[in-house]
Amino acid sequence: MFLKEVQLMKERVVQTGEYPFDIPSIGTFEEMELESPITFFVGENGSGKSTLLEAIADQCGFNTAGGGRNHFYEVDSSDSALGAFLRLSWMPKATNGFFLRAESFYHFASYLDEVDDTGFAGYGGKSLHHQSHGESFMSLFSNRFQGNALYLLDEPEAALSPQRQLTFLRILKELSEERGCQFIIATHSPILLAYPGAAIHEFSEDGIAKVDYEDTEHYRITKYFMDHRESFLRRILED
Ligand SMILES: Nc1ncnc2c1ncn2[C@@H]1O[C@H](COP(=O)(O)OP(=O)(O)OP(=O)(O)O)[C@@H](O)[C@H]1O
Ligand SMILES: [Mg+2]
């Protein structure tokens, strides 16, 4: 564990009605304790998960376009409007880590093509552009991720089949339990969210609340859909 707490420095917030403070989860945010090596951010589209994750990455010194401390590249890099308002409490401070945004992974692959002189040693031995979306993600997860680091991942499931998501759970276990890593992951995946012992923070109109797996909207909708698929589809599609 590295990052113990994220606090909003309320005294610095002046323009409360403007982005990002107009997002309910961010406008009401005060602090978040991180007590588990694996923390998930879950919630509806637009509920503020990426905004908070990006701001944390910004304060960690990770490039907000995605990448580690040593990967600075300009393509698609975005300023975090929230970063300057956050105070992070460390124990100890993480010096290694990685921020992965699903949307900017393509640019990260291009950047690696340009700068890599190791034969893509940390990335499965070939350009990420020559691997499928899911393969390249898995190369990154299984090769580039090292011990004693903080990883911030935005929707890592975007590229992964259900089977590979299960493989990813094993990688999470190994890195967090045996190699001292901490993860904060924004996700919509009911498979990833099921990781035992993870802390789940749900973003909504009411703010951010810690919830049990079975109480997440994602779990409930997915379960209901699987259990009542035909009647559910009839209701949605035929009315
Ligand atoms: N630079 C920006 N300026 C103004 N509004 C923004 C900006 N970036 C994001 N927003 C808005 O902030 C809200 C939260 O966006 P955010 O990307 O944090 O959502 P999210 O929870 O990650 O959603 P998703 O699940 O779709 O990824 C959205 O309504 C979005 O339109
Ligand atoms: Mg997002």
Side-chain angles (χ1 to χ4, degrees), residues 96-97 140-141 143-151 175 179-181:
N96 285 317
L140 187 69
F141 294 147
N143 301 302
R144 168 65 169 75
F145 286 17
Q146 301 155 354
N148 294 317
L150 170 64
Y151 293 113
L175 284 169
R179 300 178 62 200
C181 292

Side-chain angles (χ1 to χ4, degrees), residues 99-110:
F99 172 43
L100 184 66
R101 280 176 73 167
E103 313 98 276
S104 56
F105 190 68
Y106 179 88
H107 297 296
F108 180 65
S110 303

Side-chain angles (χ1 to χ4, degrees), residues 13-26:
V13 179
V14 191
Q15 289 153 326
T16 48
E18 287 182 20
Y19 175 80
F21 301 103
D22 59 343
I23 305 168
S25 65
I26 305 296

Side-chain angles (χ1 to χ4, degrees), residues 19-20 22-23 26 43-52 54 79 81 103 154-155 186-188 203:
Y19 175 80
D22 59 343
I23 305 168
I26 305 296
E44 205 33 77
N45 292 126
S47 58
K49 304 177 299 295
S50 298
T51 300
L52 185 57
E54 252 176 54
D79 286 332
E103 313 98 276
D154 201 352
E155 298 189 32
T187 186
H188 291 297
F203 290 51

Side-chain angles (χ1 to χ4, degrees), residues 19 50 54-55 58 62-66 73-81 99 101 103-104:
Y19 175 80
S50 298
E54 252 176 54
D58 182 56
F62 302 155
N63 184 313
T64 47
Y73 59 103
E74 292 306 317
V75 189
D76 249 16
S77 132
S78 58
D79 286 332
S80 165
F99 172 43
R101 280 176 73 167
E103 313 98 276
S104 56

Side-chain angles (χ1 to χ4, degrees), residues 64-95:
T64 47
R69 278 170 173 273
N70 299 325
H71 291 130
F72 290 107
Y73 59 103
E74 292 306 317
V75 189
D76 249 16
S77 132
S78 58
D79 286 332
S80 165
L82 181 62
F85 298 93
L86 292 188
R87 180 187 294 124
L88 305 186
S89 308
W90 299 93
M91 193 66 173
K93 186 156 179 22
T95 48

